Amino acid sequence: MKKILIIAALSLPLINANANFFLPEISRDGKTLNTSVLAVSGEARNFAGATYDLSMFKQDDDSSIEYDISTPGAFGAFSAKGFSAQLETKFSQTEIDDQNSSAHIASLLTGYRVNKMMTLGLGYTQDEFDAGVDAQKLEAGGTLTFDGVLFGGSVAYREVDDKTLEGGYFILTAGMGQREKNDVVEAGVQLMTEGSDDLTRGKRFSVFSNMTKLVGSVEIDGSFKFGFGNYYKDDGGTTDGNNFTSLEFDIDGEFLVLNNFYITPGLSYASSNAPGVSEDTSLVKLGSDFGYRNAKLDATLAVDYIFISEKNEVDYDGLGFGLNIAYLF
């Protein structure tokens, strides 16, 4: 069951990948989702969309074992009179021979523009796994803008409940960003506190940055995040240490073809390094999106090659396909 959860969490193609944290999205597709209530509070978009992702993996040492992960979902955004909201929901079904696992992820992020300088936001996210793991996150924050530079901060509390443990931890985020006509750049820091009660998660710190640049008919998007800290809040005398590190980066370029069609090749990488025989995991995703866009409709078809590696255990590779369609009001 552990393998099912690891692969399901890491391998989703996620065409509508989340991006900015502090500043609203300026992607030309009009449907790229923001990451936090801070970005949502500063935007005014109206759209509704649907997604369907399918990933198929095989173990390198046993090609007869196949992992299939299907994920339908819906998403959208609404704004009116200074109020804005973003909604996303996904249902993931993982099949490994005669084993099955499912997960449901849903989030609602809301914001209010108090005036030209200040915004406030509030959000709620819920994850449910049929393996008996449930998690909820409540987030609140705000932004202030001075001389064209935005400063933002948020506090979130994530509570986890499964069959063997229950507890939670705080996520404190602060940073800044600047938006010009065709450019967005932002950077921030994040602190995750130790888990409370039975939750063994240790204290962790991370730095991150996101950017979008529009040059003529080309759009370039990139993100970077590095984290480090303690894997456990108390190592309990383990012989293989208590250090945790993680690294994530993503870059892609959108190229417009024949006015309404575009192609977006990209590369994504994510890894985590932690104590234990099989706790080191890395993921590489290489692929491209093929899209059609007009004034009201944006449709994207994604094709990805995905490779997953676990320390001292088998590796997985396979293909991911995704369809993402949104109507812009």
Side-chain angles (χ1 to χ4, degrees):
M1 186 61 70
K2 177 186 175 183
K3 288 184 180 296
I4 297 178
L5 294 178
I6 290 175
I7 294 176
L10 288 175
S11 62
L12 301 181
L14 297 178
I15 302 179
N16 56 328
N18 296 334
N20 286 356
F21 194 96
F22 299 103
L23 287 160
E25 264 299 316
I26 65 168
S27 297
R28 285 177 170 149
D29 64 8
K31 62 183 180 179
T32 298
L33 299 180
N34 294 299
T35 304
S36 77
V37 297
L38 302 182
V40 170
S41 67
E43 72 174 4
R45 295 189 296 173
N46 296 279
F47 61 87
T51 65
Y52 183 81
D53 296 332
L54 174 64
S55 300
M56 297 174 291
F57 297 90
K58 289 185 177 181
Q59 291 185 190
D60 286 356
D61 63 345
D62 189 346
S63 60
S64 65
I65 300 179
E66 184 170 305
Y67 300 72
D68 296 329
I69 306 171
S70 59
T71 310
F75 64 97
F78 169 78
S79 64
K81 297 182 179 180
F83 173 82
S84 55
Q86 175 183 290
L87 175 66
E88 181 182 22
T89 182
K90 294 180 181 180
F91 298 87
S92 179
Q93 181 73 31
T94 303
E95 298 181 6
I96 305 178
D97 293 334
D98 58 347
Q99 298 184 61
N100 294 280
S101 177
S102 63
H104 175 215
I105 300 173
S107 69
L108 174 63
L109 309 181
T110 65
Y112 181 72
R113 294 176 292 282
V114 179
N115 50 47
K116 292 182 179 180
M117 295 180 58
M118 182 179 182
T119 71
L120 300 173
L122 184 66
Y124 178 76
T125 301
Q126 180 169 335
D127 306 339
E128 294 182 353
F129 294 86
D130 67 359
V133 181
D134 295 326
Q136 300 86 34
K137 184 177 76 171
L138 182 64
E139 177 190 13
T143 67
L144 289 172
T145 302
F146 297 98
D147 294 330
V149 180
L150 181 142
F151 299 88
S154 69
V155 56
Y157 182 74
R158 190 170 190 265
E159 186 176 44
V160 181
D161 184 9
D162 71 13
K163 296 177 180 178
T164 60
L165 59 84
E166 181 177 354
Y169 56 93
F170 286 95
I171 306 171
L172 309 175
T173 310
M176 59 189 295
Q178 188 169 17
R179 174 179 179 175
E180 298 182 355
K181 183 178 181 180
N182 294 318
D183 297 276
V184 162
V185 61
E186 61 178 32
V189 295
Q190 194 168 74
L191 172 66
M192 289 172 279
T193 63
E194 289 185 347
S196 63
D197 299 328
D198 300 325
L199 196 62
T200 60
R201 182 189 180 98
K203 183 185 296 184
R204 303 174 189 177
F205 182 82
S206 61
V207 295
F208 64 91
S209 178
N210 303 303
M211 61 82 66
T212 298
K213 186 175 183 64
L214 308 178
V215 183
S217 60
V218 179
E219 175 185 330
I220 300 173
D221 295 279
S223 64
F224 169 85
K225 186 175 185 178
F226 175 72
F228 59 93
N230 296 326
Y231 191 71
Y232 302 106
K233 62 181 178 181
D234 182 0
D235 62 16
T238 57
T239 59
D240 48 4
N242 191 29
N243 294 326
F244 171 85
T245 60
S246 64
L247 175 65
E248 303 171 31
F249 68 81
D250 180 279
I251 186 167
D252 62 63
E254 177 189 293
F255 301 88
L256 189 65
V257 181
L258 301 176
N259 295 324
N260 295 106
F261 296 90
Y262 59 89
I263 180 172
T264 311
L267 169 68
S268 298
Y269 175 84
S271 67
S272 62
N273 213 352
V277 175
S278 62
E279 297 296 345
D280 297 355
T281 305
S282 63
L283 175 147
V284 177
K285 184 178 74 173
L286 179 65
S288 185
D289 298 351
F290 304 89
Y292 170 81
R293 176 184 304 144
N294 59 35
K296 293 293 184 179
L297 180 69
D298 196 294
T300 306
L301 173 66
V303 181
D304 300 312
Y305 169 75
I306 306 173
F307 175 76
I308 300 174
S309 175
E310 294 184 31
K311 179 181 178 181
N312 296 333
E313 293 195 11
V314 298
D315 298 332
Y316 314 84
D317 67 340
L319 295 176
F321 302 92
L323 181 64
N324 181 302
I325 301 176
Y327 182 79
L328 315 178
F329 296 98

